[in-house]
C-alpha cells in the first residue's frame, strides 16, 4: 500500500504545479472579482484531479466547501482584486499581488488536500481547524514557491 502511494506522488506534484501555474495566470485577469471566481474553479478542478489520482471519492460541492473553509479569509484576495479597478497602476499592482496570492493559495489548498488524500480521507470529514492551520503554513510556503 505504501509503495502504491509513493507512485502517486509524482502525479500529485504535477497536478498541483499545473494548477498553481493556471492560478498565477488567472490572478492576472484584469476584471476584479472574475479572477477570484476563476481561481476557485481552478482549485476545485485540482481537488477533483488529486482525488482521482489517489482514488478517493470527490464531489464538486464538497470541493467548494473545502476551498471556502480554507480560503475563507478572502478579504485580502478581494482587496487585491479590487485594486485592479484603479486606472493605470492599479491593474499592474493588483494583478501582480493577486497573481502571487492566487498561486500561493492554490499551492496551499493542493498540499493540504494531498495530505488528506494520502491518508485515504474524504474531504467532507476533515477537521476544519486543523486544515486551516495547515493551509496557513502551506500558504506561507506557497508564497516563496511562486515568487
Amino acid at each position: 500500500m505504501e509503495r502504491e502511494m509513493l507512485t502517486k506522488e509524482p502525479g500529485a506534484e504535477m497536478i498541483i504545479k499545473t494548477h498553481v501555474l493556471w492560478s498565477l495566470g488567472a490572478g492576472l485577469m484584469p476584471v476584479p472579482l472574475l479572477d477570484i471566481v476563476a481561481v476557485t474553479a481552478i482549485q476545485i478542478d485540482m481537488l477533483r484531479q488529486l482525488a482521482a489520482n489517489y482514488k478517493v471519492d470527490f464531489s464538486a460541492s464538497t470541493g467548494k466547501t473545502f476551498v471556502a473553509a480554507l480560503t475563507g479569509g478572502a478579504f485580502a484576495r478581494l482587496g487585491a482584486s479590487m485594486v485592479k479597478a484603479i486606472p493605470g497602476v492599479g491593474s499592474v499592482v493588483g494583478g501582480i499581488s493577486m497573481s502571487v496570492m492566487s498561486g500561493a493559495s492554490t499551492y496551499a489548498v493542493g498540499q493540504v488536500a494531498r495530505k488528506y488524500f494520502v491518508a485515504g480521507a474524504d474531504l467532507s470529514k476533515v477537521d476544519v481547524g486543523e486544515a486551516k492551520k495547515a493551509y496557513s503554513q502551506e500558504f506561507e510556503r506557497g508564497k516563496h514557491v511562486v515568487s
Side-chain angles (χ1 to χ4, degrees):
M1 178 77 166
E2 190 172 315
R3 175 172 252 203
E4 182 181 328
M5 284 299 171
L6 289 176
T7 62
K8 293 178 182 186
E9 288 304 305
E13 276 302 314
M14 185 53 99
I15 291 167
I16 294 170
K17 181 187 263 186
T18 300
H19 286 80
V20 165
L21 291 172
W22 280 104
S23 290
L24 287 168
L28 292 172
M29 290 177 122
V31 180
L33 302 180
L34 185 59
D35 49 4
I36 293 174
V37 171
V39 170
T40 301
I42 290 166
Q43 291 174 343
I44 292 167
D45 181 65
M46 176 182 63
L47 293 176
R48 182 187 54 75
Q49 289 186 29
L50 286 171
N53 184 67
Y54 289 104
K55 297 178 176 48
V56 175
D57 288 337
F58 178 77
S59 74
S61 63
T62 299
K64 288 176 190 174
T65 302
F66 183 76
V67 169
L70 294 186
T71 64
F75 293 112
R77 284 178 29 181
L78 183 62
S81 181
M82 294 310 290
V83 167
K84 293 177 184 181
I86 300 170
V89 74
S91 60
V92 174
V93 172
I96 291 170
S97 62
M98 186 63 191
S99 178
V100 170
M101 288 179 20
S102 296
S105 178
T106 300
Y107 173 85
V109 168
Q111 295 300 332
V112 172
R114 183 169 77 173
K115 289 175 186 172
Y116 285 103
F117 289 150
V118 164
D122 179 330
L123 294 181
S124 66
K125 296 175 177 71
V126 167
D127 176 333
V128 175
E130 182 182 304
K132 280 184 176 183
K133 269 193 227 176
Y135 172 83
S136 294
Q137 292 171 343
E138 294 295 345
F139 182 78
E140 291 305 315
R141 193 170 302 137
K143 287 194 280 189
H144 296 292
V145 168
V146 300
S147 293

